[in-house]
Amino acid sequence: LMQRRTALVLIACAIVFSASARSAHAQDFSGKPIRLLVGLAAGGATDVMARLVAQKMSENLRTTVFVENKVGGNFIPALRELTGSPADGHSLFFISTSTLITQPLHPDYPFDLTQLTPITQVATGPLILVVKNSLGIKTLGELINHAKTNPGKLSFGAGGGTGSSLYFATELLKAKTGIKITIVNYRGAGPALNDLLGGHIDGMFDAMPVMVAQAKEGKVT
């Protein structure tokens, strides 16, 4: 019950947290590397946050902690790797909100996320909406007007694909405003951002750690 309730709270808070396959007793971690599994492509907010955590864990535990990206449909490769590993605390899954959303969307999902052991909440934060500079759009109102004038012509990237928090943010924008946007799915926010910077898509939602830096450097609006 506690695990189920925790998962619901974590979804509502839109957090990122680490989870182990099963409970691990306190032990000396210094003799063996620890890996943080990330089910998304490198370069996105979850990946960036995982690497920051890995660095601090390495310093505090005096052992090597590294990020391993296991990209694939509905986070199944990462979860398969996690559940197939010994429950010794050396394989952890750095889970984003998108991972938690996946199971309710797929009744035949092969994993029960409530069976994972939550360790700690790592971060919370808002999503940021950006568009490519060449659109000349500076405000949300201008974006809505542009989309209504050009229905279906704007394309937004969704890191993590259908069911991710970035996908739902775009769908919520469409539902609230009545605009038509084509959603392009990506295996992670990193590849979506690359296409945005390259002008291949028009906009996207992403988490603050990655997108604020891009905005401050004037690469996106």
Side-chain angles (χ1 to χ4, degrees):
L1 178 61
M2 182 61 70
Q3 287 178 323
R4 289 180 182 272
R5 183 177 179 182
T6 301
L8 291 174
V9 172
L10 296 178
I11 291 172
C13 293
I15 61 92
V16 180
F17 73 105
S18 300
S20 66
R22 291 170 292 276
S23 299
H25 296 291
Q27 57 188 288
D28 181 8
F29 288 94
S30 60
K32 183 180 178 181
I34 298 172
R35 61 175 177 166
L36 296 185
L37 295 163
V38 174
L40 295 164
T46 303
D47 177 74
V48 170
M49 191 66 66
R51 293 177 190 278
L52 290 173
V53 170
Q55 178 183 345
K56 291 299 181 181
M57 287 179 66
S58 295
E59 296 170 0
N60 293 331
L61 298 177
R62 297 194 178 102
T63 191
T64 300
V65 182
F66 64 96
V67 172
E68 184 175 331
N69 297 88
K70 284 287 183 180
V71 182
N74 297 328
F75 306 98
I76 289 176
L79 284 164
R80 184 179 292 122
E81 186 72 21
L82 177 72
T83 55
S85 302
D88 57 4
H90 287 84
S91 292
L92 308 177
F93 187 13
F94 203 82
I95 297 181
S96 67
T97 308
S98 299
T99 314
L100 296 173
I101 293 172
T102 300
Q103 185 171 351
L105 292 177
H106 300 277
D108 58 345
Y109 201 60
F111 297 97
D112 182 1
L113 299 182
T114 66
Q115 297 305 306
L116 302 181
T117 304
I119 296 175
T120 186
Q121 173 180 321
V122 172
T124 64
L127 298 179
I128 298 176
L129 170 62
V130 299
V131 295
K132 63 182 182 183
N133 293 332
S134 60
L135 283 178
I137 291 171
K138 302 296 184 183
T139 67
L140 180 59
E142 291 178 2
L143 173 64
I144 295 171
N145 289 335
H146 181 88
K148 288 184 176 180
T149 305
N150 303 276
K153 292 186 178 181
L154 287 179
S155 59
F156 271 43
T162 303
S164 70
S165 57
L166 308 184
Y167 176 91
F168 276 116
T170 309
E171 287 290 1
L172 182 61
L173 175 65
K174 292 167 59 179
K176 291 287 188 179
T177 62
I179 61 178
K180 294 182 179 180
I181 296 175
T182 299
I183 300 179
V184 182
N185 292 324
Y186 290 85
R187 290 192 168 188
L193 176 59
N194 289 336
D195 270 7
L196 177 64
L197 297 177
H200 303 299
I201 57 176
D202 299 305
M204 63 180 289
F205 284 90
D206 200 2
M208 183 177 289
V210 173
M211 204 52 78
V212 163
Q214 301 295 330
K216 285 184 175 179
E217 292 177 12
K219 296 181 179 179
V220 297
T221 302

